[in-house]
Amino acid sequence: MTVPPAAVRPTSERARQAYFNIVGGRIEGARFLDLFAGSGIFSFEALSRGAASATAVERDTRNVALIAKEAAAFGVQVKTVTADTLQFVRRAAEPFDLVYADPPYAYEDYGELVEVIGKLPLPPRALVAVEHRRGMRPFQQETGRLRLIRTAEYGEVWISFFGIAEAATGIAIGE
């Protein structure tokens, strides 16, 4: 994979592998949404693990071009969208089974981000993951349609998992 631009802070391999271990078999056939995609590594990994589709949303046109170039080189299809994440999510009409959001560390609108993601046409067993800095508790237990299920800690990176509130108590996610 091409080295991402200096402004991109890729998720550590340890945290990325942990995420995919946690979602486990849910990835097979899933419609995957990669928000704040950066290098698109989550989209590529989702496809390599059997996702039916991957959509990478990134504001930086250089990063989007890099994702498209890598997708062509790997012979996979990643739908790339150059857009502000919140604006994209507010107008998205397609359903996604798995959503991964990795905002920049300086990001401050986590509550709004989770609330807006909850307005997507998510199926009842959808799983939303939001990466954030260690020790940060930027979420309510329940935000709009989404309920916090668990937070996994990987050094400086924490990943908080959400499910649809009505179905969240019945969602089992692995380690």
Side-chain angles (χ1 to χ4, degrees), residues 6-167:
V8 174
R9 175 199 41 81
T11 300
S12 72
E13 185 175 340
R14 177 178 175 232
R16 193 173 66 249
Q17 294 307 313
Y19 166 77
F20 283 104
N21 288 339
I22 289 169
V23 299
R26 291 170 172 270
I27 195 73
E28 188 68 37
R31 296 160 295 187
F32 187 82
L33 178 60
D34 185 1
L35 299 174
F36 304 96
S39 68
I41 190 74
F42 273 89
S43 293
F44 293 117
E45 183 126 359
L47 290 170
S48 76
R49 291 176 178 253
S53 65
T55 301
V57 179
E58 172 58 47
R59 162 185 250 159
D60 189 312
T61 56
R62 293 168 301 176
N63 293 346
V64 172
L66 175 68
I67 294 167
K69 178 182 173 186
E70 293 296 323
F74 292 142
V76 297
Q77 290 207 304
V78 175
K79 178 180 177 185
T80 55
V81 179
T82 305
D84 173 81
T85 296
L86 290 178
Q87 289 176 3
F88 170 82
V89 173
R90 282 189 179 108
R91 67 177 193 266
E94 58 193 291
F96 295 98
D97 305 297
L98 295 171
V99 178
Y100 193 89
D102 181 11
Y105 274 172
Y107 195 75
E108 295 181 5
D109 298 325
Y110 284 94
E112 182 181 11
L113 174 64
V114 172
E115 187 171 341
V116 170
I117 291 170
K119 293 178 182 176
L120 285 168
L122 301 169
R125 305 224 3 109
L127 191 61
V128 174
V130 180
E131 185 176 319
H132 52 93
R133 286 187 314 245
R134 176 182 181 190
M136 206 176 167
R137 298 278 183 203
F139 314 109
Q140 301 294 325
Q141 189 65 29
E142 201 162 312
T143 303
R145 285 178 62 212
L146 298 178
R147 178 177 295 149
L148 182 64
I149 299 170
R150 98 182 242 201
T151 298
E153 304 170 11
Y154 305 98
E156 294 301 310
V157 172
W158 286 12
I159 304 171
S160 291
F161 292 85
F162 297 84
I164 303 297
E166 301 81 46

